[in-house]
Amino acid sequence: MQAAKRPLARGDLKAVGDALTFDCETGNYHTFCPISCVSWLYQKIEDSFFLVVGTKTCGYFLQNAMGVMIFAEPRYAMAELEEGDISAQLSDLAELRRLCTRIIEDRNPSVIVLIGTCTTEIIKMDMEGIAPKLEAELGVPIVVARANGLDYAFTQGEDTVLAAMAARCEVADHVPTVPAALPGAKSHAPLVIFGSLPDTVAKQLELELKKQGITVSGWMPSSKYQDLPEVGPNVHVVGVNPFLSRTASVLVRRKKCKLINAPFPIGPDGTRAWVEAICQSLDIEPQGLEERERAAWQAAKEYTEILKDKTIFFMGDNLLEVSLARALTRAGMTVLEVGIPYMDKRFQASELQLLIETCKEMGKPLPRIVEKPDNYNQVKRISELKPDLAITGMAHANPLEARGISTKWSVEFTFQHIHGFTNVKDLFELVTRPLRRNQSLPSRWKTFVRNEEAVVAEAKMPADARVEL
């Protein structure tokens, strides 16, 4: 597998816009509800409690998405709005005070996160006005995150929570420089990484940076709310996921941090470019990254051989689409279309530029990028283009399979370990799973659709010449 070249120029938005085709359709956000971010954030922030304020529909969704966890008494709950709340007959302040008091008595969290939903937006519940009053009365920090599906897509729920927490980070005029991680290396400016990753994956990325002599000053979110990193004008910050643009804006505009605009550490090429961008920002010469990338591609060769010269279509769900498209293009695939619920061209400028360069180096056509796609139109385009694989939401997977299109649920990439060099095999194993499944099917089946002509012909054969269907 060909290794990526040196990191690309950062932030040339005009060049990006001239090279890639950006379209915006009128489709709604056909994605998971953003309140699903509770499912991983309550586990990441160990001393937190998440209170989702919504209707029965929100409760049903959480119950379906995380129902198995209720037996472990997790640190989240549902505050169900009733007619009295919606008709303003009950006091929102009094009701939330009662619930938060009970939460503190039962669980004693270090922070309570109030998650707003579509209904709280519609009835104009003043959660930002209520939270400071409750915090002063109860003595526990109360953070408000508006993770409603009217304004945000699936993974942007995490972005709203982290943006609210970023606003709580303490600001120092000058945060001390960090000692070098390796003997002989020089000290560098503080580095804060934002984005929620499993502890093992976060540790792997820290080790990659440590090999370059870089020490990570802090993560956001941290496992303990009190451990939120100190930020300021000399602190460099970098994200690990492309859906964290709101958090980046808070850190840059309100906290005056220096944002490292880099591709995201998804795939060997993205991980290398991410580390190189951090080294460049901290004035450190990167070492051995080309070999690390080459070894990662070699480890995933059995899967990249399957992907070579295949076509793929992204319907759009979790905002990881551009990063995945770039990594799969480097693996040899042709990306026909990248659907994405929301595109922040400034935050993803380096990722888009790397996608352009990757397509040129691999001799692949530039994909069409469709923001807020209309699923009806997308299904028609899929029928015309006949991709080898479609990355889609769960609602469209079975209908497309019935039409002979192999699919993979986009939600799986949200929960699978796909970041860094170490998890490259897991990433490509996940992508190739439906393709390998098709190879193992009997010849009379086309993906999951049985070849009826072959079945009829076999029925006319003598009984002793037939094979089991």
Side-chain angles (χ1 to χ4, degrees):
M1 179 55 59
Q2 182 180 355
K5 295 183 178 179
R6 286 286 302 163
L8 308 153
R10 311 290 179 212
D12 190 357
L13 292 181
K14 187 176 186 301
V16 171
D18 291 343
L20 287 168
T21 300
F22 290 92
D23 292 324
C24 184
E25 295 184 339
T26 57
N28 295 321
Y29 284 158
H30 299 282
T31 71
F32 258 39
C33 178
I35 65 172
S36 57
C37 69
V38 173
S39 64
W40 63 86
L41 286 178
Y42 93 89
Q43 299 180 70
K44 183 67 178 180
I45 310 171
E46 298 172 358
D47 57 351
S48 65
F49 194 97
F50 284 76
L51 182 63
V52 182
V53 184
T55 61
K56 276 185 168 58
T57 303
C58 307
Y60 293 147
F61 173 77
L62 288 177
Q63 192 174 26
N64 283 317
M66 305 185 288
V68 177
M69 303 177 189
I70 62 174
F71 300 106
E73 294 189 358
R75 297 180 310 280
Y76 69 87
M78 181 74 207
E80 191 173 292
L81 294 169
E82 298 179 342
E83 290 184 8
D85 301 295
I86 296 173
S87 61
Q89 295 177 8
L90 298 176
S91 168
D92 296 332
L93 175 61
E95 291 297 306
L96 287 175
R97 180 192 294 117
R98 177 178 60 84
L99 292 172
C100 290
T101 301
R102 182 176 175 183
I103 289 169
I104 294 170
E105 292 173 351
D106 291 346
R107 303 299 179 85
N108 191 29
S110 296
V111 61
I112 297 175
V113 183
L114 297 180
I115 302 292
T117 61
C118 301
T119 309
T120 59
E121 292 294 312
I122 293 170
I123 67 175
K124 307 300 182 186
M125 181 180 289
D126 185 19
M127 298 177 71
E128 282 84 358
I130 293 172
K133 297 176 183 177
L134 293 179
E135 185 170 332
E137 291 181 23
L138 304 176
V140 174
I142 297 180
V143 177
V144 176
R146 293 183 174 272
N148 66 86
L150 299 173
D151 301 316
Y152 303 109
F154 172 26
T155 48
Q156 286 180 290
E158 175 183 332
D159 192 24
T160 62
V161 174
L162 295 191
M165 289 193 170
R168 297 292 190 105
C169 290
E170 293 186 8
V171 179
D173 292 334
H174 183 80
V175 180
T177 57
V178 180
L182 296 176
K186 62 180 181 180
S187 60
H188 57 82
L191 173 67
V192 171
I193 303 176
F194 59 94
S196 176
L197 292 177
D199 291 339
T200 54
V201 180
K203 190 65 176 178
Q204 289 163 4
L205 292 179
E206 281 194 36
L207 291 174
E208 291 295 340
L209 293 173
K210 187 176 181 180
K211 293 176 183 178
Q212 306 298 327
I214 297 173
T215 301
V216 178
S217 301
W219 282 80
M220 192 177 65
S222 53
S223 58
K224 302 291 184 183
Y225 177 75
Q226 281 80 3
D227 295 338
L228 281 175
E230 194 175 40
V231 296
N234 71 317
V235 175
H236 295 242
V237 296
V238 65
V240 293
N241 279 314
F243 48 77
L244 300 172
S245 58
R246 190 182 183 93
T247 306
S249 296
V250 171
L251 290 170
V252 172
R253 294 177 182 175
R254 298 178 61 178
K255 305 300 180 180
K256 309 304 180 185
C257 297
K258 297 177 181 178
L259 177 66
I260 302 173
N261 198 320
F264 300 96
I266 297 174
D269 52 337
T271 304
R272 176 186 173 186
W274 185 76
V275 175
E276 285 180 334
I278 294 173
C279 291
Q280 180 181 350
S281 181
L282 298 177
D283 196 23
I284 293 175
E285 185 67 27
Q287 303 290 334
L289 288 176
E290 185 175 354
E291 292 76 14
R292 287 286 289 144
E293 182 190 2
R294 187 179 296 110
W297 283 119
Q298 186 62 33
K301 188 174 181 179
E302 61 176 307
Y303 300 118
T304 57
E305 288 296 325
I306 299 173
L307 297 175
K308 189 176 180 180
D309 296 327
K310 296 288 195 304
T311 57
I312 188 169
F313 189 107
F314 290 87
M315 291 194 71
D317 183 39
N318 56 15
L319 276 76
L320 297 172
E321 287 81 15
V322 175
S323 299
L324 291 172
R326 179 260 307 149
L328 294 174
T329 300
R330 176 69 62 181
M333 298 192 80
T334 298
V335 181
L336 302 175
E337 178 174 311
V338 179
I340 186 169
Y342 170 74
M343 167 65 72
D344 188 319
K345 296 187 183 71
R346 291 176 299 176
F347 187 57
Q348 295 205 49
S350 295
E351 188 65 85
L352 292 168
Q353 188 66 31
L354 184 56
L355 173 62
I356 293 171
E357 293 295 328
T358 300
C359 289
K360 290 179 180 178
E361 291 174 20
M362 300 300 294
K364 302 293 184 181
L366 292 173
R368 177 187 184 217
I369 297 180
V370 182
E371 187 178 4
K372 203 163 65 171
D374 186 302
N375 286 173
Y376 178 78
N377 294 334
Q378 280 190 316
V379 169
K380 290 197 296 184
R381 292 195 291 269
I382 289 174
S383 299
E384 295 170 0
L385 296 171
K386 294 284 190 276
D388 295 301
L389 182 64
I391 308 298
T392 175
M394 289 191 289
H396 300 91
N398 284 352
L400 288 174
E401 290 281 357
R403 287 160 177 79
I405 304 295
S406 297
T407 63
K408 194 64 187 164
W409 291 350
S410 55
V411 69
E412 294 185 68
F413 295 94
T414 307
F415 297 103
Q416 180 75 16
H417 296 184
I418 62 174
H419 294 76
F421 291 123
T422 311
N423 298 304
V424 166
K425 286 187 68 175
D426 293 337
L427 169 61
F428 292 119
E429 189 277 333
L430 189 64
V431 178
T432 59
R433 198 175 296 169
L435 301 176
R436 289 181 286 114
R437 175 203 68 199
N438 293 343
Q439 292 176 355
S440 66
L441 291 173
S443 60
R444 67 186 62 81
W445 292 77
K446 294 179 180 178
T447 66
F448 274 166
V449 182
R450 189 167 62 171
N451 187 337
E452 296 298 337
E453 294 179 0
V455 174
V456 172
E458 190 169 15
K460 296 178 180 179
M461 295 179 182
D464 56 350
R466 298 179 188 176
V467 295
E468 187 67 25
L469 293 178

